[in-house]
Amino acid sequence: QMQLVESGGGLVKPGGSLRLSCTASGFRFSDYYMSWVRQAPGKGLEWVSYISDTGYHIYYADSVKGRFTVSRDNAKNSLFLQMNSLGAEDTALYYCALQWGDSWGQGTLVTVSS
Amino acid sequence: VMTQAPLSLSVTPGQPASISCKPSQSLVYSDGRTYLFWYLQKPGQPPQLLIYEVSNRLSGVPDRFSGSGSGTNFTLKISRVEAEDVGVYYCMQSIGPVTFGQGTRLEIK
């Protein structure tokens, strides 16, 4: 069945960087848009970014534009999120999602703190 | 902006429940489709997609869940609430900036 597994989260200092990865299995990864969605502790959902099947179309939320970069490697069934200039407001559980949420990973926690 | 109401709901098992979602703009895209989605996030779990494009249930979603609406007024209905329906329900639109509603917490009486 469809499975998404995120990795790469952790504790980082303000201004630092992290690269999140999401490995997909159980479906033809190269055929689908993929998304990153985050959830700050105790808060609601925020769509961070999506990328089209070919990588040609990309969207970023205003809150991360210019700091985050989404990419994918279809040969490796992998989705990435490069996060730079991190601030406390980026502390959240980051989910990888298939298209508009047909399937979700369990999330990887990013904590930005000094 | 996506405005959900109510923000919390307490329902007796077997009774119906209804959640409203009012976007601040039309959600009809140039392809004629309306990109309004409903999700349920059960405690301690990632969200799960229930309804896509207003009224289409994802495969495996019980038929007690239904979505309806048009324009700037959309509704998720649960015909008979069960204990497993507890969690936070979100609407989401993907026209322009992708935005979620604030969430509606459903609990069982």
Side-chain angles (χ1 to χ4, degrees), chain A residues 14-80:
Chain A
S17 298
L18 273 179
R19 189 187 195 219
L20 306 184
S21 299
C22 170
T23 302
S25 60
F27 63 98
R28 191 166 170 150
F29 180 76
S30 57
D31 283 353
Y32 295 95
Y33 276 56
M34 295 295 298
S35 297
W36 288 101
V37 179
R38 68 184 180 183
Q39 187 168 36
K43 302 295 185 183
L45 301 171
E46 180 186 16
W47 214 282
V48 173
S49 179
Y50 68 66
I51 183 169
S52 66
D53 49 354
T54 61
Y56 185 76
H57 295 284
I58 286 177
Y59 158 88
Y60 297 106
D62 286 344
S63 57
V64 307
K65 204 173 291 183
R67 300 188 299 123
F68 289 13
T69 303
V70 65
S71 61
R72 64 191 296 161
D73 184 338
N74 285 343
K76 295 183 178 178
N77 292 341
S78 294
L79 176 71
F80 305 101

Side-chain angles (χ1 to χ4, degrees), chain B residues 23-86:
Chain B
S24 57
Q25 64 181 55
S26 170
L27 303 184
V28 181
Y29 192 53
S30 53
D31 59 7
R33 293 155 74 168
T34 302
Y35 290 91
L36 185 284
F37 303 79
W38 289 98
Y39 302 84
L40 165 60
Q41 187 172 29
K42 297 182 179 181
Q45 295 185 21
Q48 59 186 90
L49 178 62
L50 299 174
I51 303 283
Y52 62 96
E53 295 178 32
V54 180
S55 59
N56 299 285
R57 268 190 309 277
L58 196 68
S59 176
V61 173
D63 62 7
R64 64 179 181 275
F65 291 94
S66 64
S68 63
S70 62
T72 57
N73 199 351
F74 299 91
T75 302
L76 175 71
K77 291 183 179 174
I78 310 173
S79 59
R80 294 172 305 280
V81 170
E82 297 187 5
E84 65 180 24
D85 301 335
V86 162

